[in-house]
Amino acid sequence: MELSELTVRSFANLLGSNAPAPGGGSAAALAGSLGAALTAMVNALTIGRKKYAEFQEGAQSAFDASSDLKDRFLTAMERDTDAFNEFSAAMALPKETPEEKAARSDAMQAALKRCIESPLHVMELCYETIRITESSLGKTNANALSDLGVSALMLGTAVQGAWLNVLINLGGLKDENEAAAYRTRGEELLNDTLTLSRIVYEKIEQSL
Amino acid sequence: MELSELTVRSFANLLGSNAPAPGGGSAAALAGSLGAALTAMVNALTIGRKKYAEFQEGAQSAFDASSDLKDRFLTAMERDTDAFNEFSAAMALPKETPEEKAARSDAMQAALKRCIESPLHVMELCYETIRITESSLGKTNANALSDLGVSALMLGTAVQGAWLNVLINLGGLKDENEAAAYRTRGEELLNDTLTLSRIVYEKIEQSL
C-alpha cells in the first residue's frame, strides 16, 4: 500500500512503531509536501481577491507550481521507503561463497546509491519550493502570513532531515569520488534552501 | 470528519486548497506528531536489543511517553482547526444593533483566546517531547540516529510554527495583560524547545 493512502493517524502510528520503514527520510519528504501545500494554500487564498489584483498572475503560477511540488514530494516519500527496503533486501542476500559475497556487496552499493539519491532529490524539491515561498512573501493574502512562515519552516526541516539521510548513507559508499560529489551537491542544496527558509521565517516573525 | 482520518494525500490536498482550514496551526501540530512518532520509533528499535541492554528501562518509558505524545499532538491538530472555525463563526455573527455588536465582539475575543491557547498547548507538547528526544540521544539504536535528528527538526518546526500562530492571533486580543502573559509563556516554550532541538540536531549532524 502506498504510504500516502494511509490515514494520517495510521501513518503516524506506523512511523512510531518498530517497523524500520517508513523512517525519517519519508517523514522529511512529507514535511516538504506539507510545506509546498501551505505555499499553495496561501496563493490560493490570494487568487480572485480584489485587494491583491496586481499579484494575480504570479499567485496563479505559484499555486500551480507548488501544488505540483506537493505531489512530487509525496512520490519522493514512497521512493524513499522503497530505497530503504531495497537496501534491506540486499543485506539479506546469501554470503556463503565469494561469488555470493561479491553479488551481495554490489547489490548493497547499488541500493545505497538509491538511499542517497532519494533524499538528495527531496533536497532539490525543497530548494525549488522555497524559492516559490520566498517570492510569495509580500504578494499574497496577509491574513495567511503565518501559514507562509510555517511553509518555510517545513521546507527547512525537510531539507535538513533529508540531509541527515544523505549523510548516514554516505558513510557506507565505497566510491569516494562519488561520495564527495554527493556531499558537495547536498551541502549546496542545504545551504541555499536554509538561507531562504530562515529569511522568510524571520521576516514573518518580526512583522507579526 | 477528523483530520487524522483523512489519507495523507487528502490531508495534503486539503491543506493546499483555498479552504481556510486546516492551515499552518494544524500542520505544525502534525509535525509535532511526526516528531514524537520518530522518537517513539527510535526507542522501539532499541527495546529488546542485547547491544542496548543497559538502556532497556529508559527506552521503554521513552517509547511509552512519546507514543502518547504522538496521539496528543493529533488531538491538538483537530482542536486547532476547531478553534479557527469557531473564530470564523463568531466573525459571521450579526452586527446591526449595539447589543449584537457587543455579543459578536465577546464571541470573537473568546474564540481568539482558543486560537492562542491551542498553539500554546502544541508548544507545551513540543517541549515535553524534545526533552525525551534529547534524553534518548546516545541511549538508543545508532542505526536510527538520523531518525532521532529528524525528530528534533520536526519538533523545532512544530514549536516555531505554533508560535507564529500565537503571534498572529495575539494582535487581535483586547486584554493587554492577558496578551503579555501569553507572549511570555510562548517565548519561554519557544526558546527552551528550540535550544534542545538545535543541540540534538547539531550533535547528530556532526557525528554522521
Side-chain angles (χ1 to χ4, degrees):
Chain A
M1 188 186 206
E2 300 251 306
L3 293 171
S4 57
E5 298 309 321
L6 295 174
T7 67
V8 168
R9 184 177 299 278
S10 302
F11 181 90
N13 287 342
L14 184 61
L15 188 66
S17 74
N18 66 359
S26 285
L30 177 53
S33 182
L34 298 176
L38 283 164
T39 290
M41 176 185 108
V42 175
N43 281 286
L45 291 172
T46 305
I47 295 167
R49 305 286 172 108
K50 276 190 191 163
K51 191 175 173 186
Y52 303 100
E54 60 181 312
F55 302 126
Q56 290 302 303
E57 205 175 317
Q60 184 66 54
S61 70
F63 172 78
D64 292 342
S66 50
S67 292
D68 182 50
L69 282 155
K70 159 185 62 76
D71 295 334
R72 287 161 69 197
F73 272 116
L74 291 182
T75 303
M77 174 176 78
E78 312 287 349
R79 294 299 83 80
D80 193 83
T81 291
D82 291 348
F84 179 87
N85 289 333
E86 197 181 302
F87 182 75
S88 300
M91 286 263 290
L93 287 174
K95 47 179 178 176
E96 297 296 312
T97 67
E99 291 74 21
E100 283 177 352
K101 277 184 187 162
R104 177 173 177 269
S105 172
D106 287 352
M108 281 174 63
Q109 288 296 310
L112 210 49
K113 278 192 205 174
R114 283 196 59 199
C115 289
I116 294 165
E117 284 168 6
S118 166
L120 266 180
H121 175 58
V122 168
M123 295 178 82
E124 287 166 354
L125 296 180
C126 288
Y127 180 59
E128 211 175 316
T129 313
I130 194 70
R131 288 175 63 196
I132 302 169
T133 308
E134 196 264 343
S135 72
S136 298
L137 194 57
K139 298 173 192 163
T140 44
N141 195 323
N143 292 331
L145 195 54
S146 59
D147 302 297
L148 206 59
V150 180
S151 168
L153 291 167
M154 289 283 179
L155 295 164
T157 275
V159 81
Q160 287 182 292
W163 176 235
L164 292 182
N165 280 272
V166 170
L167 285 178
I168 202 169
N169 290 308
L170 268 185
L173 203 64
K174 287 182 180 164
D175 185 330
E176 287 182 13
N177 289 332
E178 208 160 28
Y182 283 138
R183 183 181 289 273
T184 302
R185 179 78 184 123
E187 283 173 343
E188 193 175 65
L189 288 164
L190 179 72
N191 293 332
D192 291 352
T193 306
L194 272 187
T195 300
L196 290 179
S197 168
R198 286 172 180 160
I199 287 172
V200 172
Y201 175 78
E202 279 161 25
K203 277 191 185 169
I204 290 173
E205 196 203 20
Q206 282 158 21
S207 71
L208 284 178
Chain B
M1 188 186 206
E2 298 251 306
L3 292 172
S4 58
E5 298 309 321
L6 295 174
T7 67
V8 169
R9 184 177 298 279
S10 301
F11 181 90
N13 287 342
L14 185 59
L15 188 66
S17 75
N18 66 1
S26 285
L30 177 54
S33 183
L34 298 175
L38 283 164
T39 289
M41 175 185 109
V42 175
N43 281 286
L45 291 172
T46 305
I47 294 167
R49 304 288 171 106
K50 277 188 189 161
K51 190 175 173 185
Y52 303 100
E54 60 180 312
F55 303 127
Q56 290 303 303
E57 205 175 317
Q60 185 65 55
S61 71
F63 173 77
D64 292 342
S66 49
S67 292
D68 182 49
L69 283 156
K70 159 185 64 76
D71 295 334
R72 288 161 67 198
F73 272 117
L74 290 182
T75 302
M77 175 176 79
E78 311 288 348
R79 294 298 84 80
D80 194 82
T81 292
D82 291 348
F84 179 87
N85 289 334
E86 196 181 300
F87 183 75
S88 300
M91 285 263 290
L93 287 173
K95 48 179 179 175
E96 297 297 311
T97 68
E99 291 75 21
E100 283 177 350
K101 278 184 187 162
R104 177 173 177 268
S105 172
D106 288 352
M108 281 174 62
Q109 288 297 309
L112 208 49
K113 279 191 205 175
R114 285 197 56 198
C115 290
I116 294 165
E117 284 167 7
S118 165
L120 266 180
H121 174 59
V122 169
M123 295 178 81
E124 285 165 354
L125 296 179
C126 288
Y127 180 59
E128 211 176 317
T129 313
I130 194 71
R131 287 175 63 196
I132 303 170
T133 309
E134 196 265 343
S135 71
S136 299
L137 193 59
K139 300 173 194 164
T140 44
N141 195 320
N143 292 331
L145 195 55
S146 60
D147 301 297
L148 206 59
V150 180
S151 169
L153 292 167
M154 288 285 180
L155 295 164
T157 276
V159 81
Q160 287 182 292
W163 175 235
L164 293 183
N165 280 271
V166 171
L167 285 178
I168 202 168
N169 289 309
L170 268 184
L173 203 64
K174 286 184 181 163
D175 184 330
E176 286 181 15
N177 289 333
E178 208 159 28
Y182 283 137
R183 182 181 290 272
T184 301
R185 180 78 185 123
E187 282 173 342
E188 191 175 66
L189 288 165
L190 179 72
N191 293 332
D192 291 351
T193 306
L194 271 187
T195 299
L196 290 178
S197 168
R198 286 172 181 159
I199 287 172
V200 173
Y201 175 78
E202 279 162 24
K203 278 191 183 169
I204 291 173
E205 196 203 18
Q206 281 159 20
S207 69
L208 285 177

